Amino acid sequence: MSNVRTNTAEQPAYPRVGEVLLSAEAIASRVDALGAELTTAYAGLRPVLVSVLKGSYIFAADLSRVLRAEHDIEFIRARSYAGSESSGSVLITGLEEVSLQDRHVIIVEDIIDTGLTLKMLTKQMRGLGAKSVKTCSFLCKITDRRLDDTPPVDYFAFEIPDKFIVGYGLDLDQRYRHLPYVAELNPEKPT
Ligand code: PRP
């Protein structure tokens, strides 16, 4: 891709955006591979991708385009954080408008951190009569804060260190979701 923004010291696009951890090219290549894996796994099953907004909007769109098996896509919302700290509770909205009875569901997330959101989503989807519920997350954080009873993350593109990161859907107080790469956050400089 030719329009990749490099957040270098010479070209500081955004002062809070630091080292690029995953380039747009690395992401595209890995998402392609995930698409191929899901294409084989879900051939003939017409799964429904349930994109968990806001964070998964870019990943879901990219994944949908490389999943070469017929599928539907739905969108729900889950909110769990205030600022950069987990609030420990999750508000899920939009699930009431989605029909999952007897469907093969793929939860599409941007990141699994403590696992609380995934735990709640999986439970609710099973309660709605889904035939199978699997998870495909763009990122899986390596953290000791993962809850013991977190459901398995069946598919993920990358494992990522326990740092605060932005880009490719992930935000800092709603900023930087649009970046085509994933970068570490710089510490806030006093103004
Ligand atoms: C993020 C992310 C996941 C969840 C993961 O959502 O999109 O849904 O947190 O964290 P957990 O594993 O600790 O539950 P967030 O609440 O930041 O909302 P957003 O997607 O709108 O940014």
Side-chain angles (χ1 to χ4, degrees):
M1 206 183 285
S2 59
N3 63 342
V4 176
R5 183 188 290 278
T6 49
N7 204 66
T8 62
E10 294 74 37
Q11 280 182 304
Y14 307 100
R16 289 298 310 275
V17 178
E19 187 190 344
V20 174
L21 301 180
L22 299 170
S23 68
E25 292 91 340
I27 293 170
S29 159
R30 187 64 193 110
V31 172
D32 271 357
L34 263 184
E37 210 178 324
L38 290 173
T39 299
T40 303
Y42 284 90
L45 296 178
R46 195 183 149 208
V48 51
L49 305 190
V50 179
S51 164
V52 184
L53 298 175
K54 295 182 186 177
S56 77
Y57 77 105
I58 296 179
F59 179 52
D62 284 352
L63 186 67
S64 178
R65 284 178 291 182
V66 295
L67 172 50
R68 309 227 182 268
E70 187 187 353
H71 60 280
D72 302 346
I73 185 153
E74 298 283 359
F75 298 89
I76 62 170
R77 181 102 198 259
R79 275 169 277 187
S80 61
Y81 287 136
S84 61
E85 298 298 322
S86 174
S87 67
S89 62
V90 183
L91 176 67
I92 296 169
T93 52
L95 205 47
E96 65 283 356
E97 290 175 28
V98 178
S99 174
L100 299 182
Q101 184 71 43
D102 294 327
R103 299 299 304 270
H104 293 284
V105 174
I106 306 174
I107 299 172
V108 180
E109 267 284 21
D110 55 334
I111 189 163
I112 308 300
D113 187 354
T114 65
L116 181 64
T117 307
L118 181 58
K119 208 171 111 177
M120 293 190 60
L121 283 172
T122 304
K123 190 175 166 201
Q124 292 195 20
M125 287 176 184
R126 293 229 162 88
L128 291 172
K131 200 176 263 182
S132 68
V133 181
K134 296 225 171 183
T135 300
C136 183
S137 183
F138 173 53
L139 300 176
C140 200
K141 210 172 231 193
I142 302 165
T143 175
D144 54 13
R145 289 177 293 109
R146 185 73 43 78
L147 299 169
D148 286 343
D149 47 355
T150 300
V153 183
D154 305 285
Y155 304 91
F156 59 87
F158 300 96
E159 282 194 312
I160 196 97
D162 197 357
K163 297 174 172 175
F164 202 89
I165 49 173
V166 292
Y168 200 72
L170 292 117
D171 73 308
L172 168 69
D173 293 336
Q174 305 306 326
R175 299 178 72 177
Y176 312 126
R177 291 191 197 272
H178 55 88
L179 300 176
Y181 52 83
V182 169
E184 212 176 314
L185 202 64
N186 281 332
E188 198 162 14
K189 292 194 180 115
T191 51

